[in-house]
Amino acid sequence: MATIEECRAALDTLSDNMQNAEGDVREAAALDRSVSCHITDLDVTFAGRLVDGRIRVDDTFPGPPRDKAQIRLSLAGDDLLALVDGELNFAKAWGSGRVKLEAGLRDLFRLRKLL
């Protein structure tokens, strides 16, 4: 089972990947939105902002998200690590319910380029 530290490092890697992306992916990441990532098996939430193509984690706290972020991700820690490492296909994981992504309709259309 992934640790909180490993999940935080995976979010940092994802942020770096988004920052270094080009074309449509870079454009899709150029949102300014509040974000939360709930790691279900650890029952911990990372909260922050997606800004300038980077994920900035401002807070980590136990339990589910305290506020409704504009972009909400919920998954197990091992699945987060596998997604970031390219070992888990996001579309399949989302379709099967292993990963939950919630956002406004416009944001979902933009985010699909990232995923």
Side-chain angles (χ1 to χ4, degrees), residues 21-30 109-114:
E22 297 179 4
D24 288 345
V25 174
R26 174 113 176 152
E27 180 184 325
F109 280 123
R110 288 188 73 177
L111 291 170
R112 70 186 168 102
K113 295 176 185 175
L114 291 173

Side-chain angles (χ1 to χ4, degrees), residues 47-65:
R49 289 201 75 78
L50 172 62
V51 63
D52 295 327
R54 293 195 61 82
I55 300 168
R56 184 187 73 220
V57 176
D58 297 325
D59 198 8
T60 304
F61 51 86

Side-chain angles (χ1 to χ4, degrees), residues 27-49:
E27 180 184 325
L31 296 170
D32 183 1
R33 301 286 189 274
S34 59
V35 297
S36 67
C37 179
H38 183 229
I39 307 301
T40 56
D41 56 331
L42 298 175
D43 197 25
V44 67
T45 297
F46 298 96
R49 289 201 75 78

Side-chain angles (χ1 to χ4, degrees), residues 72-89:
R72 300 167 303 282
L73 185 65
S74 179
L75 69 168
D78 289 340
D79 288 341
L80 175 62
L81 272 62
L83 280 171
V84 172
D85 288 341
E87 298 169 2
L88 179 63
N89 179 283

